[in-house]
Amino acid sequence: MYAFTYHKPTSARQAATLLAKKEDAKLLAGGHTLLPTMKQRLAAPSALVDLGACADLKGIAVKGRNVVIGAMTTHAEVAASPEVQAAIPALAYLAGHIGDPHVRHRGTIGGSVANNDPAADYPAALLALGATVVTNKRKLSAEEFFTGLYETALDEGEIVTRVSFPVVSRAGYAKFRNPASRYAMVGVFVAKRGGEVRVAVTGAGEGGVFRWPEAEAALKARFAVKSLDGLKHTADGINGDIHADPEYRAHLIGVMAKQAVAQATGK
Amino acid sequence: MSATGIGAAVRRKEDHRFITGQGRYTDDINRPGQVHAYFLRSPHAHAIIKAIDTEAAAGMPGVIGIFTGADLAADKIGGLICGWMIHNKDGTPMRAGPHPALAQGKVRYVGDHVAVVVAETLAEAKDAAEAIAVDYEELPAVVDTGTAAGAKTVIHDEAPDNTVFNWHLGDREAVEKAFRAASHVTKLDLVNNRLVPNAMEPRAAVGDYDAGEGVFTLYTTSQNPHVARLVLSAFIGIAPENKLRVIAPDVGGGFGSKIFIYAEETVCVWAAKKVGRPVKWTADRTEAFLSDAHGRDHVTHAELATDAEGRILGMRVKTTANLGAYLSTFSSSVPTYLYAPLLSGQYDIPAIYCEVDAVYTNTAPVDAYRGAGRPEATFVVERLIEVTARQLGKDPARFRMQNYIRRFPHQTPVIMMYDTGNYGASLKKALEMIDYKGLGKRKRDSARAGKLRGIGFSSYIEACGIAPSAAVGSLGAGVGLWESAEVRVNPIGTVEVLTGSHSHGQGHETTFAQLVSDRLGISIDNVSIIHGDTDKVQMGMGTYGSRSGAVGMSAIFKALDKVIAKGKKVAAHVLEADEADIDFADGHFAVKGTDRKLDFGSCALQAYVAHKFNGQELEPGLKEGAFYDPTNFTFPAGVHICEVEIDPQTGVTRIERWAAVDDFGNVINPMIVEGQVHGGIAQGVGQALLEGARYNADGQLVTASFMDYTMPRADDLPSFDVGMTVTPCPSNPLGIKGCGEAGAIASPPAVINAITDALGHEEIAMPATPQAVWRAARKSMNRMAAE
Ligand SMILES: Cc1cc2nc3c(=O)[nH]c(=O)nc-3n(C[C@H](O)[C@H](O)[C@H](O)COP(=O)(O)OP(=O)(O)OC[C@H]3O[C@@H](n4cnc5c(N)ncnc54)[C@H](O)[C@@H]3O)c2cc1C
């Protein structure tokens, strides 16, 4: 790790001011991505602005037909939240299957979406549920927000303040864990909202999270596991690494999609 | 059996300090004025160092010294050594290149040591290391085990075809004859995957130099501090032994990787004098992945010949063993004498011939890792046996039973003389524990749920203790493999035992105390076990090869004999009886046939006050030492059966059942033994399903962190069903065989045999990851559909 200055503002506004003032400053949320890269000297911010004391970035609230989660809410808090469990159980399930207990008690939803790791779980939920990312400057749909591998629409100095998830009629998430890291090797989130069905895939795409239109169409016709029979995802554009080559990953998309629908339909 | 004696499941004495965070590991040791070392490592797998420019780095804040291989050479510090000489088939010695602690002119693997920066803080040392300019001329990398020997690129000039040795064992002609007479020959190609040991505590060192006394002290993560001192002194030339103290305090796991004498420890103790300040280094996890000696890495072709009745006639094995870029301390012994002599397994095999080619590659050095050679041998034997049974259409349990050795002692064709055992008893018990009879139904139930179920056996044997010193000497070992002990009885009858064994997770402070408690009839709380300090313990060979029970405790046993004999002399004077009439039992010296007796503590006091005997005829005091040299290896053996269920949709393998029946001879503490079995199986399952070090073609370690290298986790493992059979070891006084490695030796073939059973005999390599199993399952189902 290189030397840096450390700041701990108590509101998002203060954090934004600090971020604007310090050159090469970075926001620190749970630190589970940022700190390891700093320890390995792969990142060298001059200043860290720790969001840990910003009370306005924390907490879970149900507002009308939306579940709104503050950026600094940990995965463990989302997993254990009675509000989330009641409104979108698949989202609580997803949060409860991120990493291990240490990761879930430090890692935050804001850090996760801002980082947009192609193997992270939340991006699939945001995309499938049609969530809105709220920053200190604007509101962005998930499609607008996730722009590529580790890339988001966030501008310099922009802070994710919360994520708003519309409550849907049915949703399910299935994840095939990377055996070593336990990130998603393939994660599929399915959501049915009125007549619309969305299927979002994480962990597998060369460009990060993506939607699977053929599965969406099949499920729109009938929201059942059987509708996915015989449907195969192409291996084109799918990631390969030592744990899974594109062919196997593409196959797992189909398997996980079925499991997600089974969860959503209680079958 | 007393509550704390031999055979009792005593809670571990050392756990209080470990569990309450009061263990004292090398990194917990801080010396006044201490500074920090950081090693600049090679980013290339293979390169010539044309120049190293340290000038800019030397002027950076906090920097105290920067040293390279040239500085070591100038101080006449020798290279690291390989302590086991192997001879080629033609009798010539193996071809070993030099192994400098800091590179001299060339780097040979990613992580190789280029320079060391010593600075006030670790951060300053790292900053300065980044400012060192190294001019590398990159060379092609040789990575692959199977093709290293034929590669154009030469890693060491001393080994022009990258081959360290071509070695063999056994009778080639007898084997060829056996194969000619065979009615069936099974052929298998096997890879034993490379593993990274990953002890929880990474390696660390604190070097200290006392200029007044001229004495060096090295605190380090060692399984054998005396061997470290011997090598650092006699071969590397740090200081004479009387001027060099090595202390291995609490050590958080080793699995073999902390047997060896490495560059970093050597450089720290040398640099302490150079800079006049204590020098500390602690590996981070990345450094551990890159530079700890790795394990396994064999490519093997093996064949088994059987007759028409299914009796084994002969075996031939050809193995290429990857030893990495340099020969680590005991690397040459692992794929030779710790491997081929185990190829007879538990079977009566009249003829065996094994050839081993050892190769250099541009990868981390490979050396002993839990089991060391024996897991590799067991994998070959148990895969061959299983596949042969399948090809002959025989039940794998019955085929094993048919070929087991039944009469002891048994001389195998590959050196070993098995002393005792009852292999059939272990198999029978394991079959009951796993409910072999119910397997058919379980398979059908799985099939109905769309799953594939399989069962796999492993009848392993290992050779532990290693071994009579004269025997290993004749095979090329540079050291003897006895053990020492000293029993110091204090005047009030408490006891300190100094042992040359070293505990780094095994629980010696408990089991050794149980032995003393049992024999002297005193509370284990009155016994302290002292180890890991060359200034306290005179000499010792350390802990590896499951030797601390069979060899280390036998030395204690011998010293206790002497203590009791001396105590009888003292008691005879005090009780005014003839020495021959004194019995010692239950902690009392008693005159036969009378009620006159003296408890052990009082006897000790009498020995020290020396009031009741003539100090010229009988020496005062009660302290005895012993060196124990074993008369044979010990031969733990057993049967592990693994049952798996595979989801062909995802390729995920779940271990559903695990029955382990081990014969470790007599057991001192069944709880600790069971823990050793659990840990060993976890590592073996890790090898079979999860772990695998992977270098890419450029020699970069792709699996250099836990994000990519899959360590077994608790939820990867089933609940183990552990049982025992006992045939006491006849060669040592306690009848102990050793239990530390059995689990890791037994389990990989059990898992792979189970998976291949589930897959309709489709072969699969380790680690059998979900991807590999999915692909094999598809192949198998396509094949069965076609048939
Ligand atoms: C061992 C391990 C296993 C893991 N397994 C999983 C897994 O299975 N699934 C999964 O999805 N994730 C996994 N993670 C990632 C983890 O859950 C976190 O989501 C991730 O580390 C980012 O969250 P964080 O709060 O730690 O962010 P940090 O590391 O603090 O920050 C990450 C990045 O986001 C920026 N940032 C943080 N907060 C904000 C904000 N409010 N606005 C704008 N930018 C911001 C930071 O500046 C930084 O660049 C794992 C991590 C580890 C270490």
Side-chain angles (χ1 to χ4, degrees), chain B residues 506-539:
Chain B
Q506 294 87 346
H508 295 171
E509 287 167 51
T510 305
T511 48
F512 289 14
Q514 284 180 256
L515 165 61
V516 177
S517 161
D518 196 278
R519 292 221 56 212
L520 298 183
I522 61 177
S523 159
I524 58 165
D525 296 331
N526 290 341
V527 184
S528 296
I529 307 299
I530 294 162
H531 63 95
D533 183 343
T534 60
D535 263 14
K536 292 180 181 166
V537 180
Q538 186 236 328
M539 187 58 194

Short mmCIF file of all heavy atoms in Angstrom, two decimals, chain B residues 506-539:
data_model
loop_
_atom_site.label_atom_id
_atom_site.label_comp_id
_atom_site.label_asym_id
_atom_site.label_seq_id
_atom_site.Cartn_x
_atom_site.Cartn_y
_atom_site.Cartn_z
N GLN B 506 0.39 -30.51 15.39
CA GLN B 506 0.14 -31.93 15.66
C GLN B 506 -0.28 -32.24 17.09
O GLN B 506 -0.76 -33.34 17.36
CB GLN B 506 1.40 -32.74 15.33
CG GLN B 506 1.78 -32.75 13.86
CD GLN B 506 2.66 -31.58 13.44
OE1 GLN B 506 2.81 -30.60 14.18
NE2 GLN B 506 3.26 -31.68 12.29
N GLY B 507 -0.04 -31.30 18.01
CA GLY B 507 -0.47 -31.54 19.39
C GLY B 507 0.53 -32.31 20.24
O GLY B 507 0.16 -32.97 21.21
N HIS B 508 1.82 -32.19 19.93
CA HIS B 508 2.83 -32.91 20.71
C HIS B 508 2.82 -32.53 22.18
O HIS B 508 3.15 -33.36 23.03
CB HIS B 508 4.24 -32.60 20.17
CG HIS B 508 4.47 -33.10 18.78
ND1 HIS B 508 5.58 -32.78 18.05
CD2 HIS B 508 3.72 -33.89 17.98
CE1 HIS B 508 5.52 -33.35 16.86
NE2 HIS B 508 4.39 -34.02 16.80
N GLU B 509 2.50 -31.28 22.48
CA GLU B 509 2.55 -30.87 23.88
C GLU B 509 1.57 -31.69 24.71
O GLU B 509 1.72 -31.82 25.91
CB GLU B 509 2.26 -29.37 24.00
CG GLU B 509 3.44 -28.54 23.51
CD GLU B 509 3.11 -27.07 23.30
OE1 GLU B 509 2.56 -26.45 24.23
OE2 GLU B 509 3.41 -26.54 22.22
N THR B 510 0.58 -32.25 24.04
CA THR B 510 -0.39 -33.09 24.72
C THR B 510 0.00 -34.57 24.66
O THR B 510 0.11 -35.23 25.68
CB THR B 510 -1.78 -32.89 24.08
OG1 THR B 510 -2.08 -31.49 24.10
CG2 THR B 510 -2.84 -33.67 24.84
N THR B 511 0.24 -35.06 23.44
CA THR B 511 0.48 -36.51 23.31
C THR B 511 1.78 -36.92 23.98
O THR B 511 1.84 -37.97 24.62
CB THR B 511 0.49 -36.93 21.83
OG1 THR B 511 1.33 -36.04 21.09
CG2 THR B 511 -0.89 -36.93 21.24
N PHE B 512 2.81 -36.10 23.84
CA PHE B 512 4.08 -36.45 24.48
C PHE B 512 3.92 -36.44 25.99
O PHE B 512 4.48 -37.28 26.71
CB PHE B 512 5.20 -35.50 24.04
CG PHE B 512 5.66 -35.66 22.61
CD1 PHE B 512 4.92 -36.39 21.69
CD2 PHE B 512 6.84 -35.08 22.17
CE1 PHE B 512 5.33 -36.55 20.37
CE2 PHE B 512 7.28 -35.22 20.85
CZ PHE B 512 6.52 -35.95 19.96
N ALA B 513 3.15 -35.46 26.50
CA ALA B 513 2.91 -35.41 27.94
C ALA B 513 2.09 -36.61 28.40
O ALA B 513 2.28 -37.12 29.51
CB ALA B 513 2.20 -34.10 28.30
N GLN B 514 1.19 -37.08 27.54
CA GLN B 514 0.41 -38.28 27.90
C GLN B 514 1.33 -39.48 28.11
O GLN B 514 1.14 -40.26 29.03
CB GLN B 514 -0.62 -38.60 26.81
CG GLN B 514 -1.83 -37.71 26.82
CD GLN B 514 -2.82 -38.06 25.73
OE1 GLN B 514 -2.91 -37.38 24.71
NE2 GLN B 514 -3.58 -39.12 25.93
N LEU B 515 2.33 -39.60 27.25
CA LEU B 515 3.27 -40.71 27.39
C LEU B 515 4.00 -40.61 28.73
O LEU B 515 4.12 -41.61 29.46
CB LEU B 515 4.28 -40.68 26.23
CG LEU B 515 5.54 -41.53 26.39
CD1 LEU B 515 5.19 -43.01 26.52
CD2 LEU B 515 6.50 -41.32 25.21
N VAL B 516 4.47 -39.43 29.05
CA VAL B 516 5.22 -39.25 30.30
C VAL B 516 4.30 -39.50 31.50
O VAL B 516 4.67 -40.19 32.46
CB VAL B 516 5.84 -37.84 30.36
CG1 VAL B 516 6.55 -37.63 31.69
CG2 VAL B 516 6.78 -37.62 29.19
N SER B 517 3.12 -38.94 31.42
CA SER B 517 2.14 -39.12 32.49
C SER B 517 1.87 -40.61 32.71
O SER B 517 1.83 -41.11 33.84
CB SER B 517 0.85 -38.38 32.12
OG SER B 517 -0.24 -38.86 32.86
N ASP B 518 1.69 -41.31 31.60
CA ASP B 518 1.38 -42.73 31.66
C ASP B 518 2.53 -43.52 32.30
O ASP B 518 2.33 -44.35 33.17
CB ASP B 518 1.12 -43.24 30.23
CG ASP B 518 0.43 -44.58 30.19
OD1 ASP B 518 1.12 -45.62 30.33
OD2 ASP B 518 -0.80 -44.58 30.03
N ARG B 519 3.74 -43.22 31.86
CA ARG B 519 4.86 -44.04 32.32
C ARG B 519 5.33 -43.67 33.72
O ARG B 519 5.75 -44.53 34.49
CB ARG B 519 6.03 -43.93 31.32
CG ARG B 519 5.65 -44.58 30.01
CD ARG B 519 6.76 -45.39 29.41
NE ARG B 519 7.33 -46.43 30.22
CZ ARG B 519 8.59 -46.82 30.16
NH1 ARG B 519 9.43 -46.21 29.36
NH2 ARG B 519 9.04 -47.79 30.92
N LEU B 520 5.27 -42.37 34.06
CA LEU B 520 5.77 -41.97 35.39
C LEU B 520 4.66 -41.85 36.42
O LEU B 520 4.94 -41.61 37.60
CB LEU B 520 6.52 -40.63 35.28
CG LEU B 520 7.79 -40.64 34.39
CD1 LEU B 520 8.46 -39.27 34.45
CD2 LEU B 520 8.76 -41.74 34.79
N GLY B 521 3.42 -42.00 35.98
CA GLY B 521 2.31 -41.92 36.92
C GLY B 521 2.15 -40.54 37.52
O GLY B 521 1.78 -40.38 38.68
N ILE B 522 2.46 -39.51 36.74
CA ILE B 522 2.26 -38.14 37.22
C ILE B 522 1.25 -37.43 36.34
O ILE B 522 0.95 -37.88 35.23
CB ILE B 522 3.59 -37.35 37.25
CG1 ILE B 522 4.20 -37.25 35.84
CG2 ILE B 522 4.59 -38.01 38.21
CD1 ILE B 522 5.48 -36.42 35.78
N SER B 523 0.73 -36.33 36.84
CA SER B 523 -0.29 -35.58 36.09
C SER B 523 0.33 -34.97 34.83
O SER B 523 1.47 -34.52 34.85
CB SER B 523 -0.86 -34.48 36.97
OG SER B 523 -1.45 -33.48 36.17
N ILE B 524 -0.44 -34.90 33.74
CA ILE B 524 0.11 -34.26 32.53
C ILE B 524 0.37 -32.78 32.78
O ILE B 524 1.16 -32.18 32.08
CB ILE B 524 -0.73 -34.45 31.25
CG1 ILE B 524 -2.14 -33.90 31.39
CG2 ILE B 524 -0.72 -35.86 30.76
CD1 ILE B 524 -2.81 -33.76 30.01
N ASP B 525 -0.30 -32.22 33.77
CA ASP B 525 -0.03 -30.80 34.07
C ASP B 525 1.38 -30.60 34.62
O ASP B 525 1.90 -29.50 34.63
CB ASP B 525 -1.05 -30.27 35.08
CG ASP B 525 -2.45 -30.30 34.49
OD1 ASP B 525 -2.57 -30.19 33.25
OD2 ASP B 525 -3.41 -30.46 35.27
N ASN B 526 1.97 -31.68 35.10
CA ASN B 526 3.34 -31.58 35.63
C ASN B 526 4.40 -31.91 34.58
O ASN B 526 5.55 -32.11 34.92
CB ASN B 526 3.50 -32.51 36.84
CG ASN B 526 2.70 -32.02 38.03
OD1 ASN B 526 2.33 -30.85 38.09
ND2 ASN B 526 2.43 -32.91 38.98
N VAL B 527 3.95 -31.97 33.33
CA VAL B 527 4.90 -32.30 32.26
C VAL B 527 4.89 -31.16 31.24
O VAL B 527 3.82 -30.76 30.77
CB VAL B 527 4.49 -33.61 31.54
CG1 VAL B 527 5.53 -33.98 30.49
CG2 VAL B 527 4.30 -34.74 32.54
N SER B 528 6.06 -30.65 30.94
CA SER B 528 6.16 -29.63 29.89
C SER B 528 7.00 -30.18 28.75
O SER B 528 8.02 -30.82 28.99
CB SER B 528 6.83 -28.36 30.41
OG SER B 528 6.01 -27.79 31.40
N ILE B 529 6.56 -29.91 27.54
CA ILE B 529 7.30 -30.37 26.35
C ILE B 529 8.00 -29.16 25.74
O ILE B 529 7.38 -28.13 25.46
CB ILE B 529 6.33 -30.99 25.32
CG1 ILE B 529 5.47 -32.08 25.97
CG2 ILE B 529 7.10 -31.53 24.11
CD1 ILE B 529 6.22 -33.25 26.54
N ILE B 530 9.29 -29.28 25.59
CA ILE B 530 10.09 -28.18 25.07
C ILE B 530 10.67 -28.59 23.72
O ILE B 530 11.27 -29.66 23.60
CB ILE B 530 11.21 -27.83 26.07
CG1 ILE B 530 10.56 -27.27 27.34
CG2 ILE B 530 12.20 -26.83 25.47
CD1 ILE B 530 11.45 -27.27 28.53
N HIS B 531 10.48 -27.73 22.74
CA HIS B 531 10.95 -28.09 21.40
C HIS B 531 11.22 -26.81 20.63
O HIS B 531 10.83 -25.72 21.03
CB HIS B 531 9.90 -28.94 20.68
CG HIS B 531 8.61 -28.21 20.45
ND1 HIS B 531 8.31 -27.57 19.28
CD2 HIS B 531 7.56 -27.99 21.27
CE1 HIS B 531 7.13 -27.00 19.38
NE2 HIS B 531 6.65 -27.23 20.57
N GLY B 532 11.93 -26.94 19.53
CA GLY B 532 12.02 -25.82 18.61
C GLY B 532 13.08 -24.79 18.93
O GLY B 532 12.99 -23.67 18.47
N ASP B 533 14.07 -25.13 19.73
CA ASP B 533 15.12 -24.16 20.05
C ASP B 533 16.44 -24.92 20.14
O ASP B 533 16.63 -25.78 21.01
CB ASP B 533 14.79 -23.49 21.39
CG ASP B 533 15.80 -22.41 21.77
OD1 ASP B 533 16.93 -22.39 21.20
OD2 ASP B 533 15.48 -21.58 22.63
N THR B 534 17.36 -24.59 19.24
CA THR B 534 18.62 -25.35 19.20
C THR B 534 19.49 -25.09 20.43
O THR B 534 20.43 -25.84 20.67
CB THR B 534 19.42 -25.02 17.93
OG1 THR B 534 19.72 -23.62 17.92
CG2 THR B 534 18.67 -25.42 16.68
N ASP B 535 19.22 -24.02 21.18
CA ASP B 535 19.98 -23.79 22.41
C ASP B 535 19.44 -24.64 23.57
O ASP B 535 20.11 -24.81 24.57
CB ASP B 535 19.92 -22.32 22.82
CG ASP B 535 21.17 -21.58 22.34
OD1 ASP B 535 21.89 -22.14 21.50
OD2 ASP B 535 21.41 -20.46 22.82
N LYS B 536 18.23 -25.11 23.46
CA LYS B 536 17.64 -25.90 24.54
C LYS B 536 17.75 -27.39 24.23
O LYS B 536 18.21 -28.16 25.06
CB LYS B 536 16.17 -25.52 24.73
CG LYS B 536 15.99 -24.11 25.27
CD LYS B 536 14.52 -23.80 25.44
CE LYS B 536 14.34 -22.37 25.97
NZ LYS B 536 12.95 -21.93 25.82
N VAL B 537 17.31 -27.75 23.05
CA VAL B 537 17.39 -29.15 22.65
C VAL B 537 18.70 -29.33 21.91
O VAL B 537 19.02 -28.58 20.99
CB VAL B 537 16.21 -29.51 21.71
CG1 VAL B 537 16.30 -30.97 21.28
CG2 VAL B 537 14.89 -29.21 22.41
N GLN B 538 19.46 -30.36 22.31
CA GLN B 538 20.81 -30.47 21.75
C GLN B 538 20.79 -30.73 20.24
O GLN B 538 21.46 -30.05 19.48
CB GLN B 538 21.59 -31.58 22.45
CG GLN B 538 23.05 -31.65 22.03
CD GLN B 538 23.43 -33.01 21.49
OE1 GLN B 538 22.89 -34.01 21.94
NE2 GLN B 538 24.34 -33.06 20.54
N MET B 539 20.03 -31.73 19.83
CA MET B 539 20.00 -32.06 18.41
C MET B 539 18.69 -32.79 18.14
O MET B 539 18.16 -33.48 19.01
CB MET B 539 21.21 -32.95 18.07
CG MET B 539 21.40 -33.25 16.61
SD MET B 539 21.59 -31.77 15.56
CE MET B 539 21.36 -32.47 13.95
#
